[in-house]
Amino acid sequence: MHWLPLGTALLVALGIIAIGIQYVVSPRTATRSFGLPLPEDGANTDWWLRLKGVRDIASGLTVLAFMAWGVPRGIGIILFVEAIIPVGDMLVVLGGRGSARRAFGIHGLTAAIMILAAIPMMMDVP
């Protein structure tokens, strides 16, 4: 019944895990697509950037865990709450005078997709 929102949730989860892995493996390369200029170079810069990767992986795994549990309403709630992350990313990029195109086109679009997938699942009456 919820095959489209569930499929979207799966793609979002796998996508954010892939992005997280890229941040852990090659943080400077991953950062280039975020929408902000690369941070200043320092001895610990790569380690600070990898923190984002760890959080992205955990966010994606949370969605997958709820999908394994099999409760559409729970998946919808998690997606809805986790949509705060790309909204926050969008606001950070805009506040840092980064790429508005990437802020809206990557982060804003991701948040919108997550919310649109979450709504029908949250409305599922047990």
Side-chain angles (χ1 to χ4, degrees), residues 52-87:
K52 180 188 177 333
V54 171
R55 284 161 177 76
D56 284 351
I57 293 167
S59 294
L61 289 174
T62 301
V63 173
L64 292 180
F66 270 78
M67 290 183 82
W69 188 14
V71 180
R73 180 175 258 167
I75 299 164
I77 292 168
I78 291 296
L79 275 180
F80 193 79
V81 170
E82 284 192 358
I84 293 168
I85 297 168
V87 168

PDB file of all heavy atoms in Angstrom, residues 52-87:
ATOM      1  N   LYS A  52      30.558  14.430  10.189  1.00  0.00           N
ATOM      2  CA  LYS A  52      29.327  14.512   9.406  1.00  0.00           C
ATOM      3  C   LYS A  52      29.022  13.160   8.786  1.00  0.00           C
ATOM      4  O   LYS A  52      27.871  12.719   8.755  1.00  0.00           O
ATOM      5  CB  LYS A  52      29.435  15.586   8.326  1.00  0.00           C
ATOM      6  CG  LYS A  52      28.160  15.687   7.495  1.00  0.00           C
ATOM      7  CD  LYS A  52      28.330  16.606   6.326  1.00  0.00           C
ATOM      8  CE  LYS A  52      27.130  16.698   5.426  1.00  0.00           C
ATOM      9  NZ  LYS A  52      26.216  15.589   5.335  1.00  0.00           N
ATOM     10  N   GLY A  53      30.044  12.482   8.307  1.00  0.00           N
ATOM     11  CA  GLY A  53      29.848  11.175   7.696  1.00  0.00           C
ATOM     12  C   GLY A  53      29.283  10.159   8.666  1.00  0.00           C
ATOM     13  O   GLY A  53      28.363   9.402   8.334  1.00  0.00           O
ATOM     14  N   VAL A  54      29.807  10.151   9.874  1.00  0.00           N
ATOM     15  CA  VAL A  54      29.325   9.210  10.889  1.00  0.00           C
ATOM     16  C   VAL A  54      27.847   9.488  11.192  1.00  0.00           C
ATOM     17  O   VAL A  54      27.029   8.564  11.278  1.00  0.00           O
ATOM     18  CB  VAL A  54      30.178   9.305  12.176  1.00  0.00           C
ATOM     19  CG1 VAL A  54      29.572   8.507  13.302  1.00  0.00           C
ATOM     20  CG2 VAL A  54      31.608   8.857  11.885  1.00  0.00           C
ATOM     21  N   ARG A  55      27.486  10.738  11.306  1.00  0.00           N
ATOM     22  CA  ARG A  55      26.099  11.093  11.593  1.00  0.00           C
ATOM     23  C   ARG A  55      25.176  10.747  10.420  1.00  0.00           C
ATOM     24  O   ARG A  55      24.046  10.304  10.617  1.00  0.00           O
ATOM     25  CB  ARG A  55      25.998  12.572  11.952  1.00  0.00           C
ATOM     26  CG  ARG A  55      26.504  12.832  13.366  1.00  0.00           C
ATOM     27  CD  ARG A  55      26.836  14.294  13.583  1.00  0.00           C
ATOM     28  NE  ARG A  55      27.255  14.560  14.943  1.00  0.00           N
ATOM     29  CZ  ARG A  55      28.442  14.255  15.452  1.00  0.00           C
ATOM     30  NH1 ARG A  55      29.335  13.648  14.699  1.00  0.00           N
ATOM     31  NH2 ARG A  55      28.751  14.534  16.700  1.00  0.00           N
ATOM     32  N   ASP A  56      25.652  10.953   9.197  1.00  0.00           N
ATOM     33  CA  ASP A  56      24.851  10.588   8.030  1.00  0.00           C
ATOM     34  C   ASP A  56      24.607   9.081   7.984  1.00  0.00           C
ATOM     35  O   ASP A  56      23.492   8.637   7.711  1.00  0.00           O
ATOM     36  CB  ASP A  56      25.543  11.028   6.741  1.00  0.00           C
ATOM     37  CG  ASP A  56      25.439  12.520   6.482  1.00  0.00           C
ATOM     38  OD1 ASP A  56      24.684  13.209   7.207  1.00  0.00           O
ATOM     39  OD2 ASP A  56      26.112  13.002   5.555  1.00  0.00           O
ATOM     40  N   ILE A  57      25.639   8.308   8.247  1.00  0.00           N
ATOM     41  CA  ILE A  57      25.489   6.850   8.250  1.00  0.00           C
ATOM     42  C   ILE A  57      24.472   6.431   9.308  1.00  0.00           C
ATOM     43  O   ILE A  57      23.578   5.620   9.049  1.00  0.00           O
ATOM     44  CB  ILE A  57      26.851   6.153   8.467  1.00  0.00           C
ATOM     45  CG1 ILE A  57      27.759   6.393   7.247  1.00  0.00           C
ATOM     46  CG2 ILE A  57      26.670   4.656   8.719  1.00  0.00           C
ATOM     47  CD1 ILE A  57      29.222   6.015   7.474  1.00  0.00           C
ATOM     48  N   ALA A  58      24.577   6.993  10.502  1.00  0.00           N
ATOM     49  CA  ALA A  58      23.631   6.656  11.574  1.00  0.00           C
ATOM     50  C   ALA A  58      22.203   7.057  11.207  1.00  0.00           C
ATOM     51  O   ALA A  58      21.251   6.319  11.484  1.00  0.00           O
ATOM     52  CB  ALA A  58      24.047   7.323  12.877  1.00  0.00           C
ATOM     53  N   SER A  59      22.025   8.190  10.558  1.00  0.00           N
ATOM     54  CA  SER A  59      20.690   8.635  10.140  1.00  0.00           C
ATOM     55  C   SER A  59      20.075   7.659   9.141  1.00  0.00           C
ATOM     56  O   SER A  59      18.900   7.305   9.238  1.00  0.00           O
ATOM     57  CB  SER A  59      20.761  10.025   9.506  1.00  0.00           C
ATOM     58  OG  SER A  59      21.144  10.979  10.458  1.00  0.00           O
ATOM     59  N   GLY A  60      20.861   7.227   8.178  1.00  0.00           N
ATOM     60  CA  GLY A  60      20.368   6.270   7.196  1.00  0.00           C
ATOM     61  C   GLY A  60      20.054   4.922   7.813  1.00  0.00           C
ATOM     62  O   GLY A  60      19.036   4.292   7.494  1.00  0.00           O
ATOM     63  N   LEU A  61      20.907   4.478   8.720  1.00  0.00           N
ATOM     64  CA  LEU A  61      20.673   3.195   9.384  1.00  0.00           C
ATOM     65  C   LEU A  61      19.433   3.236  10.266  1.00  0.00           C
ATOM     66  O   LEU A  61      18.733   2.221  10.413  1.00  0.00           O
ATOM     67  CB  LEU A  61      21.903   2.785  10.199  1.00  0.00           C
ATOM     68  CG  LEU A  61      23.125   2.365   9.385  1.00  0.00           C
ATOM     69  CD1 LEU A  61      24.319   2.121  10.301  1.00  0.00           C
ATOM     70  CD2 LEU A  61      22.829   1.138   8.529  1.00  0.00           C
ATOM     71  N   THR A  62      19.123   4.387  10.823  1.00  0.00           N
ATOM     72  CA  THR A  62      17.910   4.524  11.633  1.00  0.00           C
ATOM     73  C   THR A  62      16.672   4.276  10.779  1.00  0.00           C
ATOM     74  O   THR A  62      15.759   3.547  11.179  1.00  0.00           O
ATOM     75  CB  THR A  62      17.848   5.920  12.283  1.00  0.00           C
ATOM     76  OG1 THR A  62      18.999   6.103  13.100  1.00  0.00           O
ATOM     77  CG2 THR A  62      16.587   6.090  13.119  1.00  0.00           C
ATOM     78  N   VAL A  63      16.647   4.856   9.595  1.00  0.00           N
ATOM     79  CA  VAL A  63      15.510   4.634   8.688  1.00  0.00           C
ATOM     80  C   VAL A  63      15.440   3.154   8.310  1.00  0.00           C
ATOM     81  O   VAL A  63      14.360   2.547   8.331  1.00  0.00           O
ATOM     82  CB  VAL A  63      15.618   5.524   7.429  1.00  0.00           C
ATOM     83  CG1 VAL A  63      14.532   5.180   6.419  1.00  0.00           C
ATOM     84  CG2 VAL A  63      15.544   7.002   7.808  1.00  0.00           C
ATOM     85  N   LEU A  64      16.585   2.544   7.978  1.00  0.00           N
ATOM     86  CA  LEU A  64      16.593   1.124   7.602  1.00  0.00           C
ATOM     87  C   LEU A  64      16.135   0.241   8.761  1.00  0.00           C
ATOM     88  O   LEU A  64      15.423  -0.748   8.544  1.00  0.00           O
ATOM     89  CB  LEU A  64      17.982   0.700   7.132  1.00  0.00           C
ATOM     90  CG  LEU A  64      18.465   1.303   5.813  1.00  0.00           C
ATOM     91  CD1 LEU A  64      19.861   0.780   5.477  1.00  0.00           C
ATOM     92  CD2 LEU A  64      17.493   1.037   4.677  1.00  0.00           C
ATOM     93  N   ALA A  65      16.526   0.592   9.978  1.00  0.00           N
ATOM     94  CA  ALA A  65      16.106  -0.188  11.146  1.00  0.00           C
ATOM     95  C   ALA A  65      14.588  -0.141  11.301  1.00  0.00           C
ATOM     96  O   ALA A  65      13.955  -1.169  11.567  1.00  0.00           O
ATOM     97  CB  ALA A  65      16.791   0.339  12.417  1.00  0.00           C
ATOM     98  N   PHE A  66      13.999   1.036  11.117  1.00  0.00           N
ATOM     99  CA  PHE A  66      12.544   1.134  11.218  1.00  0.00           C
ATOM    100  C   PHE A  66      11.867   0.422  10.053  1.00  0.00           C
ATOM    101  O   PHE A  66      10.787  -0.139  10.211  1.00  0.00           O
ATOM    102  CB  PHE A  66      12.106   2.602  11.307  1.00  0.00           C
ATOM    103  CG  PHE A  66      12.033   3.095  12.718  1.00  0.00           C
ATOM    104  CD1 PHE A  66      13.183   3.433  13.412  1.00  0.00           C
ATOM    105  CD2 PHE A  66      10.813   3.213  13.367  1.00  0.00           C
ATOM    106  CE1 PHE A  66      13.127   3.871  14.727  1.00  0.00           C
ATOM    107  CE2 PHE A  66      10.740   3.660  14.672  1.00  0.00           C
ATOM    108  CZ  PHE A  66      11.902   3.985  15.358  1.00  0.00           C
ATOM    109  N   MET A  67      12.507   0.406   8.897  1.00  0.00           N
ATOM    110  CA  MET A  67      11.948  -0.334   7.767  1.00  0.00           C
ATOM    111  C   MET A  67      11.963  -1.837   8.064  1.00  0.00           C
ATOM    112  O   MET A  67      11.023  -2.551   7.719  1.00  0.00           O
ATOM    113  CB  MET A  67      12.706  -0.023   6.486  1.00  0.00           C
ATOM    114  CG  MET A  67      12.462   1.393   5.990  1.00  0.00           C
ATOM    115  SD  MET A  67      13.278   1.742   4.439  1.00  0.00           S
ATOM    116  CE  MET A  67      12.067   1.027   3.324  1.00  0.00           C
ATOM    117  N   ALA A  68      13.014  -2.317   8.710  1.00  0.00           N
ATOM    118  CA  ALA A  68      13.101  -3.735   9.074  1.00  0.00           C
ATOM    119  C   ALA A  68      12.035  -4.084  10.106  1.00  0.00           C
ATOM    120  O   ALA A  68      11.522  -5.200  10.129  1.00  0.00           O
ATOM    121  CB  ALA A  68      14.495  -4.055   9.609  1.00  0.00           C
ATOM    122  N   TRP A  69      11.700  -3.124  10.954  1.00  0.00           N
ATOM    123  CA  TRP A  69      10.680  -3.317  11.974  1.00  0.00           C
ATOM    124  C   TRP A  69       9.310  -3.470  11.317  1.00  0.00           C
ATOM    125  O   TRP A  69       8.439  -4.171  11.824  1.00  0.00           O
ATOM    126  CB  TRP A  69      10.716  -2.133  12.930  1.00  0.00           C
ATOM    127  CG  TRP A  69       9.867  -2.240  14.148  1.00  0.00           C
ATOM    128  CD1 TRP A  69       9.257  -3.348  14.660  1.00  0.00           C
ATOM    129  CD2 TRP A  69       9.524  -1.173  15.026  1.00  0.00           C
ATOM    130  NE1 TRP A  69       8.568  -3.035  15.794  1.00  0.00           N
ATOM    131  CE2 TRP A  69       8.718  -1.696  16.055  1.00  0.00           C
ATOM    132  CE3 TRP A  69       9.830   0.175  15.047  1.00  0.00           C
ATOM    133  CZ2 TRP A  69       8.213  -0.920  17.074  1.00  0.00           C
ATOM    134  CZ3 TRP A  69       9.333   0.948  16.073  1.00  0.00           C
ATOM    135  CH2 TRP A  69       8.530   0.400  17.074  1.00  0.00           C
ATOM    136  N   GLY A  70       9.125  -2.784  10.182  1.00  0.00           N
ATOM    137  CA  GLY A  70       7.928  -2.966   9.398  1.00  0.00           C
ATOM    138  C   GLY A  70       6.726  -2.129   9.772  1.00  0.00           C
ATOM    139  O   GLY A  70       5.611  -2.496   9.469  1.00  0.00           O
ATOM    140  N   VAL A  71       6.930  -0.996  10.432  1.00  0.00           N
ATOM    141  CA  VAL A  71       5.806  -0.142  10.823  1.00  0.00           C
ATOM    142  C   VAL A  71       5.865   1.156  10.008  1.00  0.00           C
ATOM    143  O   VAL A  71       6.695   2.015  10.284  1.00  0.00           O
ATOM    144  CB  VAL A  71       5.842   0.162  12.339  1.00  0.00           C
ATOM    145  CG1 VAL A  71       4.682   1.052  12.733  1.00  0.00           C
ATOM    146  CG2 VAL A  71       5.845  -1.123  13.135  1.00  0.00           C
ATOM    147  N   PRO A  72       4.983   1.287   9.007  1.00  0.00           N
ATOM    148  CA  PRO A  72       5.026   2.494   8.164  1.00  0.00           C
ATOM    149  C   PRO A  72       4.917   3.801   8.951  1.00  0.00           C
ATOM    150  O   PRO A  72       5.606   4.769   8.648  1.00  0.00           O
ATOM    151  CB  PRO A  72       3.825   2.327   7.226  1.00  0.00           C
ATOM    152  CG  PRO A  72       3.625   0.856   7.151  1.00  0.00           C
ATOM    153  CD  PRO A  72       3.985   0.340   8.526  1.00  0.00           C
ATOM    154  N   ARG A  73       4.060   3.830   9.977  1.00  0.00           N
ATOM    155  CA  ARG A  73       3.908   5.067  10.755  1.00  0.00           C
ATOM    156  C   ARG A  73       5.243   5.467  11.409  1.00  0.00           C
ATOM    157  O   ARG A  73       5.618   6.634  11.410  1.00  0.00           O
ATOM    158  CB  ARG A  73       2.832   4.903  11.818  1.00  0.00           C
ATOM    159  CG  ARG A  73       2.665   6.175  12.636  1.00  0.00           C
ATOM    160  CD  ARG A  73       1.540   6.062  13.607  1.00  0.00           C
ATOM    161  NE  ARG A  73       0.440   6.808  13.012  1.00  0.00           N
ATOM    162  CZ  ARG A  73      -0.792   6.752  13.423  1.00  0.00           C
ATOM    163  NH1 ARG A  73      -1.137   5.960  14.398  1.00  0.00           N
ATOM    164  NH2 ARG A  73      -1.727   7.480  12.864  1.00  0.00           N
ATOM    165  N   GLY A  74       5.961   4.506  11.967  1.00  0.00           N
ATOM    166  CA  GLY A  74       7.267   4.780  12.582  1.00  0.00           C
ATOM    167  C   GLY A  74       8.286   5.272  11.566  1.00  0.00           C
ATOM    168  O   GLY A  74       9.058   6.193  11.840  1.00  0.00           O
ATOM    169  N   ILE A  75       8.283   4.668  10.387  1.00  0.00           N
ATOM    170  CA  ILE A  75       9.199   5.104   9.323  1.00  0.00           C
ATOM    171  C   ILE A  75       8.870   6.546   8.942  1.00  0.00           C
ATOM    172  O   ILE A  75       9.771   7.373   8.769  1.00  0.00           O
ATOM    173  CB  ILE A  75       9.089   4.188   8.085  1.00  0.00           C
ATOM    174  CG1 ILE A  75       9.465   2.749   8.450  1.00  0.00           C
ATOM    175  CG2 ILE A  75       9.977   4.697   6.951  1.00  0.00           C
ATOM    176  CD1 ILE A  75       9.034   1.717   7.422  1.00  0.00           C
ATOM    177  N   GLY A  76       7.583   6.849   8.822  1.00  0.00           N
ATOM    178  CA  GLY A  76       7.171   8.206   8.478  1.00  0.00           C
ATOM    179  C   GLY A  76       7.603   9.224   9.522  1.00  0.00           C
ATOM    180  O   GLY A  76       8.080  10.307   9.189  1.00  0.00           O
ATOM    181  N   ILE A  77       7.445   8.870  10.778  1.00  0.00           N
ATOM    182  CA  ILE A  77       7.850   9.787  11.855  1.00  0.00           C
ATOM    183  C   ILE A  77       9.356  10.028  11.811  1.00  0.00           C
ATOM    184  O   ILE A  77       9.812  11.170  11.920  1.00  0.00           O
ATOM    185  CB  ILE A  77       7.393   9.249  13.228  1.00  0.00           C
ATOM    186  CG1 ILE A  77       5.858   9.301  13.320  1.00  0.00           C
ATOM    187  CG2 ILE A  77       8.041  10.019  14.374  1.00  0.00           C
ATOM    188  CD1 ILE A  77       5.273   8.537  14.495  1.00  0.00           C
ATOM    189  N   ILE A  78      10.124   8.953  11.653  1.00  0.00           N
ATOM    190  CA  ILE A  78      11.585   9.106  11.581  1.00  0.00           C
ATOM    191  C   ILE A  78      11.974   9.974  10.389  1.00  0.00           C
ATOM    192  O   ILE A  78      12.807  10.879  10.509  1.00  0.00           O
ATOM    193  CB  ILE A  78      12.275   7.721  11.500  1.00  0.00           C
ATOM    194  CG1 ILE A  78      12.133   6.981  12.824  1.00  0.00           C
ATOM    195  CG2 ILE A  78      13.739   7.849  11.102  1.00  0.00           C
ATOM    196  CD1 ILE A  78      12.816   7.636  13.997  1.00  0.00           C
ATOM    197  N   LEU A  79      11.402   9.713   9.220  1.00  0.00           N
ATOM    198  CA  LEU A  79      11.712  10.535   8.045  1.00  0.00           C
ATOM    199  C   LEU A  79      11.359  11.998   8.285  1.00  0.00           C
ATOM    200  O   LEU A  79      12.127  12.897   7.922  1.00  0.00           O
ATOM    201  CB  LEU A  79      10.934  10.047   6.824  1.00  0.00           C
ATOM    202  CG  LEU A  79      11.517   8.931   6.005  1.00  0.00           C
ATOM    203  CD1 LEU A  79      10.592   8.602   4.838  1.00  0.00           C
ATOM    204  CD2 LEU A  79      12.898   9.251   5.508  1.00  0.00           C
ATOM    205  N   PHE A  80      10.198  12.232   8.878  1.00  0.00           N
ATOM    206  CA  PHE A  80       9.753  13.600   9.127  1.00  0.00           C
ATOM    207  C   PHE A  80      10.715  14.324  10.068  1.00  0.00           C
ATOM    208  O   PHE A  80      11.117  15.451   9.808  1.00  0.00           O
ATOM    209  CB  PHE A  80       8.331  13.589   9.697  1.00  0.00           C
ATOM    210  CG  PHE A  80       7.674  14.928   9.709  1.00  0.00           C
ATOM    211  CD1 PHE A  80       7.126  15.447   8.542  1.00  0.00           C
ATOM    212  CD2 PHE A  80       7.600  15.677  10.865  1.00  0.00           C
ATOM    213  CE1 PHE A  80       6.513  16.698   8.542  1.00  0.00           C
ATOM    214  CE2 PHE A  80       6.998  16.915  10.876  1.00  0.00           C
ATOM    215  CZ  PHE A  80       6.444  17.431   9.709  1.00  0.00           C
ATOM    216  N   VAL A  81      11.092  13.653  11.149  1.00  0.00           N
ATOM    217  CA  VAL A  81      12.008  14.263  12.116  1.00  0.00           C
ATOM    218  C   VAL A  81      13.393  14.455  11.493  1.00  0.00           C
ATOM    219  O   VAL A  81      14.019  15.506  11.657  1.00  0.00           O
ATOM    220  CB  VAL A  81      12.089  13.413  13.405  1.00  0.00           C
ATOM    221  CG1 VAL A  81      13.204  13.883  14.307  1.00  0.00           C
ATOM    222  CG2 VAL A  81      10.753  13.447  14.137  1.00  0.00           C
ATOM    223  N   GLU A  82      13.866  13.457  10.763  1.00  0.00           N
ATOM    224  CA  GLU A  82      15.196  13.558  10.157  1.00  0.00           C
ATOM    225  C   GLU A  82      15.251  14.579   9.024  1.00  0.00           C
ATOM    226  O   GLU A  82      16.339  14.989   8.622  1.00  0.00           O
ATOM    227  CB  GLU A  82      15.687  12.193   9.671  1.00  0.00           C
ATOM    228  CG  GLU A  82      16.143  11.308  10.808  1.00  0.00           C
ATOM    229  CD  GLU A  82      16.891  10.074  10.346  1.00  0.00           C
ATOM    230  OE1 GLU A  82      17.045   9.849   9.122  1.00  0.00           O
ATOM    231  OE2 GLU A  82      17.361   9.320  11.221  1.00  0.00           O
ATOM    232  N   ALA A  83      14.104  15.032   8.527  1.00  0.00           N
ATOM    233  CA  ALA A  83      14.093  16.082   7.503  1.00  0.00           C
ATOM    234  C   ALA A  83      14.653  17.385   8.059  1.00  0.00           C
ATOM    235  O   ALA A  83      15.039  18.274   7.295  1.00  0.00           O
ATOM    236  CB  ALA A  83      12.680  16.283   6.959  1.00  0.00           C
ATOM    237  N   ILE A  84      14.727  17.482   9.384  1.00  0.00           N
ATOM    238  CA  ILE A  84      15.353  18.656  10.011  1.00  0.00           C
ATOM    239  C   ILE A  84      16.810  18.778   9.580  1.00  0.00           C
ATOM    240  O   ILE A  84      17.331  19.879   9.433  1.00  0.00           O
ATOM    241  CB  ILE A  84      15.251  18.559  11.547  1.00  0.00           C
ATOM    242  CG1 ILE A  84      13.794  18.663  11.988  1.00  0.00           C
ATOM    243  CG2 ILE A  84      16.116  19.608  12.238  1.00  0.00           C
ATOM    244  CD1 ILE A  84      13.568  18.298  13.449  1.00  0.00           C
ATOM    245  N   ILE A  85      17.462  17.655   9.345  1.00  0.00           N
ATOM    246  CA  ILE A  85      18.888  17.673   8.982  1.00  0.00           C
ATOM    247  C   ILE A  85      19.122  18.396   7.653  1.00  0.00           C
ATOM    248  O   ILE A  85      19.911  19.351   7.612  1.00  0.00           O
ATOM    249  CB  ILE A  85      19.477  16.247   8.983  1.00  0.00           C
ATOM    250  CG1 ILE A  85      19.403  15.653  10.392  1.00  0.00           C
ATOM    251  CG2 ILE A  85      20.915  16.253   8.459  1.00  0.00           C
ATOM    252  CD1 ILE A  85      19.680  14.154  10.453  1.00  0.00           C
ATOM    253  N   PRO A  86      18.453  18.003   6.544  1.00  0.00           N
ATOM    254  CA  PRO A  86      18.704  18.763   5.319  1.00  0.00           C
ATOM    255  C   PRO A  86      18.185  20.196   5.366  1.00  0.00           C
ATOM    256  O   PRO A  86      18.768  21.079   4.723  1.00  0.00           O
ATOM    257  CB  PRO A  86      18.025  17.927   4.227  1.00  0.00           C
ATOM    258  CG  PRO A  86      17.070  17.039   4.927  1.00  0.00           C
ATOM    259  CD  PRO A  86      17.632  16.818   6.298  1.00  0.00           C
ATOM    260  N   VAL A  87      17.130  20.447   6.140  1.00  0.00           N
ATOM    261  CA  VAL A  87      16.676  21.839   6.301  1.00  0.00           C
ATOM    262  C   VAL A  87      17.770  22.643   7.007  1.00  0.00           C
ATOM    263  O   VAL A  87      18.107  23.757   6.591  1.00  0.00           O
ATOM    264  CB  VAL A  87      15.347  21.919   7.093  1.00  0.00           C
ATOM    265  CG1 VAL A  87      15.039  23.356   7.507  1.00  0.00           C
ATOM    266  CG2 VAL A  87      14.206  21.353   6.279  1.00  0.00           C
TER     267      VAL A  87
END
